[in-house]
Amino acid sequence: MVMNHRFAIATSRAKSKPVLSLSILAILLTAGVDTHAQDNTNYSRPALSPEGEIRRDAHDFLFNDFIVDRTAKITGRVDENFDRRVLQELVVSQPNRMVETDAVIALPEGSQLIAGMFRHLALRGSGLLRIESISLLPFGANSHMHQSESRDDFFRVQMATVPLPAKDLPIASIEIHCSGPGQTLIETIEFHSQGRLSMKFDDLSYRNLGAERERVPVDVDIDPMTSLSISGSTDLHRSRWFRYYASPGGVPQELEQWAAERNFSPGRQIFKMQPSLVKGYSPLQPKLSESKTKPGHADLQFFEAYDSGGRLRRTLKPFQSMDYAMCFDEWPDFMSRYPGGRGTPKKENFPAAAELAAAFVKDQIQDGGRTASWWEVKNESTIKAEWDFHWTKDYDSWSLLADFHNQVAKQIHTISPKTKVGGPTSAWMQVQVNNFSLYEAQRDFMDQTRHDLDFYSHHFYEDFNTIGAWERRREKYTAYLLGRFEAILDMFRAHMEGTDNVKPILVTECGSLQPGRGSSDEWLRLRSYSAYLCKAMKRPDQIDLIVPFIFLNIPWSPASGGAAFEPLSLANGASPQVPGEPIAGHQRRMVSRFFDLWRDFDGERLACRIERDFVDCVAVHQDDTIFVAVTNMGGDRLSLNFGELWDSANVVSSSQRRLQYINGELRYTDAIPWRRDEGIPIDVEETTLIEFKLAKPIEPQNKAELSRHYASKTAVRSGDQAQSHFEIT
């Protein structure tokens, strides 16, 4: 047996042998281009970054030592082109522990080094529905891992954020809290990867992508005399795009002010009824209870004492009247199906659930002077974990979902006609699965809700370990930033056009599912935020709001690594930070550079064209400045040539703003000067902002109208024909 010396430690053994099964993956083939351009970036370090070396050693430890003699589920095979074997599940320990109320169960030594590679932590046993919460100690001591599936014999939560592997990393434990009568037996503790943990170490996330090839020169065509009009408007409408994940007043005012100074505003938040109203976040808060005279209904006298508008009154003045979105979730237990679905109401309680939603909206208007502009009915209701009816064939779960949305919309419109109500707030947008049956379900949902819903909303997330998407496309990239995002939006819009049901689309969450606090984790999230933004800004005719899943702070999980600021007590943790003065007891982290990168991108649109696949460009002008945003999701590093713009717009200077991932480190540079004859570099998966200062403001005399033409049919079966095209006139 080969031992990895960096992480060579003693581990406990189970007696079962690994279980092996087979699966087959699809291969997509495309090609790239190699030419020459000057490269001024320092790529002096070896191909694998220091973080990559640490993760490689931990990976070796898992497969050379920890997994030995433990029960594991491995799928896939080795063929002549790829090692396709994937570790799906691993039994970490078998405590056979009986729990009445609370318990802390230590995991085997070494678990702390590998936990971060997995998506979920799962328990098997009996009486597991008594579990209220699970925490991973010491890494998530102040937070509970998010539940994803619950049955009496199986309970699964999302893995907590774990620091980079290190010799001195403390041994991990799980803390379990149970409630209700009876006992809970914990037979096994398992780590699950959801098919995202290859037995071959994946180094793409830890090297400089495209560095083995020379830069490709690409011309960027921008006509300063031609405005771009989309749906009759040339305005970028910045407030549609530059949001963070919170409702107005949902973060400390100092942080809210910091974001406002960078022209960002709150965009969307979930309102969870069971924890917010029934349990309450303060012992002084009134508690919502079931009506004594109408079983399954809420006692609405609760709202006579409850303050629904406190946050709206505390927010900054500019945010008190701005549009934002909210989403209902987790209806009270007394009206919900048990145990799953995160508060999925019982079918017979749909009217009671709709009544409660409308009562909250009414109370928020009374207490805060207004409510959200857009209300989503149920968060991510397209998946089993959120809409419990999807688990059983006894119901047409999608028809029930449409009916529930319609009932909630009617109730809210009765008390607040101007409030927009929508859904299904989709997750997992793999609409092509099972011969597009998931798309057909979405299509039917739109048909069944056409008279009551005001918008449709969806979530788009890049999957785990998708840095290097262009190179992954050959075997396992099925996320959205190589064209699937646009294709799905076009399919939905085509159906709306064909059924005379054209409504706005809201993308109320987007980004990456990648957890962790390492630079590679941060980069996958940051590059995804910017890439989605750049793509969305090209589609104001389809999208009314997009909210990256980026936080100013995360008080319920401060060590998660997903926020622009975290408490000073965590300032020495293994996470990229920005030197500078703390703000209201918070340390600024590299995530905050996303706000710096985009802080002043605004103005009137200009026509922008790059003859390069998987490269997006958006150009605007304001006063004496032209801003250009470029996202490169292709496989080559590029050198951007703006020569014609220099000649036609009387440019006096140009500078570049970069947020990069170089040699395994995040790097932000605010103003890199460039001359006319120099190509402006952009790396693989980078979004860059280029600013051109002009001798005087421009006044475009021409206008290009962008129009999209949609197919009369979508998801056409083989043998049928349909046409669609896209044109700029």
Side-chain angles (χ1 to χ4, degrees), residues 110-131:
S111 301
Q112 70 274 21
L113 303 176
I114 65 169
M117 303 180 199
F118 292 86
R119 171 65 173 160
H120 290 109
L121 183 148
L123 307 179
R124 297 188 190 272
S126 61
L128 301 183
L129 290 176
R130 297 181 62 247
I131 296 177

Side-chain angles (χ1 to χ4, degrees), residues 12-18 67-72 91-92 94:
S12 61
R13 304 293 191 198
K15 294 183 179 180
S16 302
K17 295 295 183 182
I67 197 174
V68 175
D69 293 332
R70 283 189 163 87
T71 301
V91 175
V92 176
Q94 298 171 298

Side-chain angles (χ1 to χ4, degrees), residues 683-701:
D683 288 342
V684 176
E685 302 193 354
E686 177 185 358
T687 296
T688 190
L689 274 290
I690 302 127
E691 178 179 324
F692 296 92
K693 284 296 183 182
L694 313 179
K696 61 179 181 180
I698 58 174
E699 297 180 3
Q701 303 299 309

Side-chain angles (χ1 to χ4, degrees), residues 238 242 264 530 537 594-601 629 687:
R238 180 182 170 92
F242 295 98
F264 278 80
S530 286
M537 284 190 290
F594 171 81
F595 296 81
D596 293 330
L597 180 73
W598 290 101
R599 63 182 181 267
D600 48 10
F601 188 81
T687 296

